Amino acid sequence: MNRQGKAQIIEQLHEKAARANIAVVTDFKGMGVEEMTILRAKLREAGVDYQVVKNTLARLALTDTSHAVLNERLKENCAVALGYDDPVALAKALSDFAKGSKKLSMRFGSLEGKFLDEEGVKQLATLPSKPELLGKLLGTMNAVPTNFVGVFAAILRNFLYALNAIKEQKEGGAAPEAQ
């Protein structure tokens, strides 16, 4: 590869890394083209860019980004997965694929500039995704007014029962006096 091609790769990877909130470095030794294509398709569905790149080029590209903490650990063949919206989605997609493939392993990562070891990336994959968290938050927010309406309706219902009991008591008490 000539200098111009390398500069272009560095520039593209730097631009992606600057936008990404998570980067995970993986080891893919022994993976075939077909398996790599399936991995890339699954990651693309999760909104993740996955790129095999030489360590030297990756170090240059990650410099001056929040993922520069990965530079000193880049050794051997590796690929970089970059996520932009939901960091949990990237971690889950890689973790799920790694369970089915003995050749892919997650080495380490960077979440908004903080270093994550392999165990940290795996723990991130166990968290609920952003849509799940938003759904739970919405459910909690919806429960407050729903419960308030239920409590208020119960108070009114009990008040009406009390009024009916008083009415029946007065009607029942007046009838025997008239006889």
Side-chain angles (χ1 to χ4, degrees), residues 15 36 39 66 76 88 94 101 110 113 129 137 140 157 173 176:
E15 184 269 326
M36 186 67 88
L39 171 62
S66 61
E76 301 177 5
V88 175
L94 281 174
S101 169
S110 167
S129 67
L137 176 65
T140 302
R157 192 170 32 255

Side-chain angles (χ1 to χ4, degrees), residues 5-64:
K6 289 179 182 178
Q8 186 178 9
I9 289 172
I10 292 169
E11 184 180 327
Q12 288 173 351
L13 188 59
H14 179 77
E15 184 269 326
K16 290 176 184 178
R19 287 187 300 123
N21 59 4
I22 185 169
V24 176
V25 177
T26 64
D27 185 4
F28 60 93
K29 284 181 194 167
M31 284 181 68
V33 174
E34 184 178 331
E35 195 174 8
M36 186 67 88
T37 304
I38 293 169
L39 171 62
R40 284 191 168 140
K42 288 186 187 257
L43 291 175
R44 204 172 304 117
E45 288 174 13
V48 175
D49 284 329
Y50 189 72
Q51 188 168 355
V52 176
V53 64
K54 290 187 174 228
N55 294 329
T56 308
L57 301 180
R59 281 188 202 101
L60 291 170
L62 294 176
T63 303
D64 297 331

